[in-house]
Every structure is written in structure tokens, then in C-alpha cells.
Amino acid sequence: MDLNDLRLEIDKIDREMVELFCKRMAISVKVSQYKIENSLPVLDANRERKKLAKISEMAGEDMASYARTLYNTIFDLSRAEQEKYMHPTSPTAEKIKRAIETTPKIFPDYATVACQGVEGAYSQIAAEKLFKVPDISYYGEFEDVFIAVKEGRADYGVLPLENSTAGSVNMVYDLMMKYNFFIVRQTRVHIDHQLLAKKGTRAEDIKEVFSHPQAISQCADFLRELGVKVTPCQNTAAAAKMVAKSERDDIAALSSRSCASLYNLDIIGSSVQDKGNNHTRFICISKKREIYPGADKTSIMAVTPHRPGALFRVMSRFNALGINLAKLESRPIPDRDFEFMFYFDLETSVYSPEFLQLICELDFVCEDFRYLGSYSEVI
């Protein structure tokens, strides 16, 4: 038997498998109708365990692990098909639909925007990418930005969420949950740190460097070689402003190039970050649920039951519906020992039926589920 004969045999088996798969899925729909009539849940974990054990036995020792992998996928797809009928909509899905209908079709050019820091901060650069004419007000802490938006002193807030080298800004994640705000747009800013000092200061004169903790982390190798005291402060631009106003001439700041001219400082070290490909993801937040046309990214939070396999059952939904999971981040739940909430970034159009089906399912399978927004990215 040659290769073509073997392939023809495989093709024949595949046809039979597809026919049987479609027949199995059709029966799954009938099962869902029975479960609806009898108020039964989609997942029957005990039956699935017994089925997997039986399938492993039928497959034999050599094929048991492959067979379990195959049938776990089939079970995921079967549950997804049943969910379509058992939970055709959910409270969150309905709110998303209303937001799509009521949000203006064009993202605003002008808005009042709250940022953390002072003039020259990277948040300002992000705000100017997101809006053509932003009216920016500055605040000392991340939470102050949320409060400004909550109280109506700003339409939107612009905040860093994640850096390509230093990781997530966990405080912003926690504040998103505290204030129940929504992400309406995002952008990425290339982070190019300079070592700034007063006019005439030499690198060998520097005894202390000030900057935001993430900037310090991003320039760790450079600072180690410099061999000076490193002091965290609220913001990179605030560090530059403080150096400019200080009476000391032996201090410097890690800050942006624009802060050099803004605060009349010399650049005594250019692009001192450890990695050249250094970007920070900034989000635009609103207290209103706004979904603008073209939204193809979504952020959600889920708390799963504290038992084995609970997170897998959530993630299996993404696989079954063909939705790409771009990021998974865990955060501890306050007052609950060793229990976590999970943040997910999804890449899918907000208009796709698979997306709305996923939202419907998560509303019912998670212990707690929060929709954090659907948005597009400004390049």
C-alpha cells in the first residue's frame, strides 16, 4: 500500500468521523432541551469523569492520553452548543448590546482627560494619541484619576496598564474593580528613558536618581552600573520637575526626552532602558459603558469556584468558540486566603456571535464575572 492509498483510507475515516461528530452534536442539542425542561445544569462533571475513564480503557494504554485530549475537546464543544440553547442571552450580554446601540459612532476628538503625574508624563503622550484635542488635568495618584472621572471633573482617564518589560500595573487593575469603570480605547507608547540633570551636571557628579518604580525597573542594568542611590517617586515627569526645582546639583531623573526641554534639563544619558523594545500599554477609562465601532479587543474579570478544573472550564470556552486569549493575569481576592480573580484580554470582534455567546456563558459559569470593556487600539 503506497502513501496515496493510506491517505485515501484516512479521508474515508475522516468523512465517517465528521458525520458521527455532527450526529453527536445534534443529540447534544436534544440533551440541552431536556436539561432546560428539567432545570438541569449544562455540566455533569460526574458523567464526564466516568466517560473519560471508559474512553481511556477503550483506547488502550498507548492511545489513552490522546483519546482523553480528543474527548475533552469534544465535551467542550458539546457544552458550548448546549449553552447556545440554555442561555441564549444574559444580563451582561444585554448591556453590551445596548451600549453598542447607544454609543456615538465616532470617538470624540475633544474631551476633558485626567492623567496621573505632571506635564511631560508618558500619560500625557498617550492622551494626545487618543484624543486630537485633550484638555488634560493632572493628579498625584492613580486613584485620584478614577475619582476625577467618578465626580465628573473629567470625561475620561488615561492610565498605564502594562509594560512590555516590567509587566502589569497591578494597582490599576485593582482600581478598575473598585470603581467598576470601563475601558473604551487603548494605545501603546514607546518608552524611551533619558537620564536628566541640571545644566552643566556630569554623569560622574550624580549621587542619586529619582523616578517611577516601573522606570527604575526598566533601567535596572543601567542604574546598577551607575552605582548610585535610587529613590522611587510618583511619576517620571514629576521626578524631572523635582530635579529642576531642587537646590542640589548631584541628582538626576529618569524621564522622557520631552521633559528635558520642558524643565530645562540636560540629557546626560540617552535611551538608558535595558531593552530597546520597551512599550507601555495605556487605557482610556470611562464610568459609562461605551463601545465604539471597530472594537476588537475585550477585557473581562472572572472569579471561578475554588475547586480543581474550574479555571480550565472557563478557558475551554475560549477554545470551543475560537476566541484568542491574548493575556491572563491573576490577582489575589482580598480577605480570601489563596483565592484569585483572573483578568483576561480577548481578541475578537464585539459584533461576532461567538463573543456574545461567550459572555452569556461566563455570566452563568463564573462565581463572579465583570465585563471591563470592548475597545480598539490607536496605533
Side-chain angles (χ1 to χ4, degrees), residues 242-263:
M242 184 271 294
V243 168
K245 290 187 173 184
S246 174
E247 295 182 358
R248 294 175 61 183
D249 56 7
D250 62 350
I251 60 175
L254 292 171
S255 193
S256 65
R257 185 174 294 274
S258 62
C259 282
S261 56
L262 186 62
Y263 296 111

Side-chain angles (χ1 to χ4, degrees), residues 335-347:
D335 304 320
R336 290 169 64 173
D337 291 342
F338 304 106
E339 293 191 44
F340 298 88
M341 60 182 73
F342 299 94
Y343 292 91
F344 302 89
D345 284 345
L346 314 177
E347 292 180 344

Side-chain angles (χ1 to χ4, degrees), residues 10 16 19 34 102 126 128 205 211 241 260 291 294 327 346 378:
I10 286 175
E16 294 172 357
E19 288 174 5
Y34 178 88
T102 58
E128 290 172 344
D205 298 328
S211 197
K241 186 176 182 179
I291 303 175
K327 182 181 179 182
L346 314 177
V378 175

Side-chain angles (χ1 to χ4, degrees), residues 118-182:
V118 297
E119 192 75 16
Y122 285 107
S123 293
Q124 175 195 333
I125 299 171
E128 290 172 344
K129 287 185 71 175
L130 290 162
F131 299 92
K132 290 183 180 178
V133 190
D135 180 6
I136 302 174
S137 53
Y138 296 98
Y139 296 88
E141 304 289 344
F142 289 144
E143 186 160 15
D144 296 334
V145 173
F146 282 83
I147 293 170
V149 174
K150 179 183 177 182
E151 294 179 351
R153 286 180 277 126
D155 300 320
Y156 300 97
V158 173
L159 294 153
L161 188 66
E162 179 185 12
N163 178 264
S164 57
T165 60
S168 297
V169 185
N170 291 325
M171 184 181 293
V172 174
Y173 275 109
D174 295 342
L175 289 168
M176 286 293 294
M177 298 310 305
K178 178 177 178 180
Y179 286 89
N180 200 24
F181 282 3
F182 301 96

Side-chain angles (χ1 to χ4, degrees), residues 296-298 322-326 345-349:
D296 57 0
K297 295 175 175 58
T298 292
I323 293 174
N324 186 45
L325 176 60
D345 284 345
L346 314 177
E347 292 180 344
T348 179
S349 171

Side-chain angles (χ1 to χ4, degrees), residues 62-79:
D62 289 346
M63 291 289 114
S65 62
Y66 297 139
R68 284 195 299 272
T69 300
L70 172 63
Y71 271 84
N72 270 319
T73 301
I74 289 174
F75 292 163
D76 291 342
L77 296 171
S78 180
R79 285 196 299 270

Side-chain angles (χ1 to χ4, degrees), residues 5-186:
D5 292 331
L6 293 171
R7 285 175 172 170
L8 286 171
E9 194 168 339
I10 286 175
D11 290 344
K12 179 176 180 292
I13 294 170
D14 285 342
R15 281 193 298 272
E16 294 172 357
M17 287 178 66
V18 170
E19 288 174 5
L20 289 171
F21 171 73
C22 292
K23 185 175 180 180
R24 190 186 197 282
M25 293 295 280
I27 295 172
S28 287
V29 173
K30 293 179 180 179
V31 170
S32 70
Q33 292 166 349
Y34 178 88
K35 289 179 177 177
I36 291 169
E37 292 168 3
N38 293 274
S39 301
L40 297 174
V42 170
L43 175 64
D44 186 341
N46 184 50
R47 173 170 165 77
E48 285 195 7
R49 276 195 303 273
K50 289 180 178 178
K51 282 285 291 181
L52 285 174
K54 186 65 175 176
I55 286 161
S56 297
E57 182 184 335
M58 288 190 293
E61 186 175 344
D62 289 346
M63 291 289 114
S65 62
Y66 297 139
R68 284 195 299 272
T69 300
L70 172 63
Y71 271 84
N72 270 319
T73 301
I74 289 174
F75 292 163
D76 291 342
L77 296 171
S78 180
R79 285 196 299 270
E81 183 70 4
Q82 290 183 34
E83 288 282 3
K84 271 198 310 190
Y85 296 91
M86 297 184 70
H87 301 127
T89 190
S90 74
T92 304
E94 290 303 314
K95 290 174 184 176
I96 290 171
K97 290 175 186 177
R98 283 197 296 273
I100 292 172
E101 293 170 357
T102 58
T103 301
K105 301 306 178 188
I106 299 175
F107 193 78
D109 290 338
Y110 170 83
T112 54
V113 181
C115 292
Q116 187 265 345
V118 297
E119 192 75 16
Y122 285 107
S123 293
Q124 175 195 333
I125 299 171
E128 290 172 344
K129 287 185 71 175
L130 290 162
F131 299 92
K132 290 183 180 178
V133 190
D135 180 6
I136 302 174
S137 53
Y138 296 98
Y139 296 88
E141 304 289 344
F142 289 144
E143 186 160 15
D144 296 334
V145 173
F146 282 83
I147 293 170
V149 174
K150 179 183 177 182
E151 294 179 351
R153 286 180 277 126
D155 300 320
Y156 300 97
V158 173
L159 294 153
L161 188 66
E162 179 185 12
N163 178 264
S164 57
T165 60
S168 297
V169 185
N170 291 325
M171 184 181 293
V172 174
Y173 275 109
D174 295 342
L175 289 168
M176 286 293 294
M177 298 310 305
K178 178 177 178 180
Y179 286 89
N180 200 24
F181 282 3
F182 301 96
I183 304 171
V184 298
R185 190 148 284 198
Q186 79 168 22

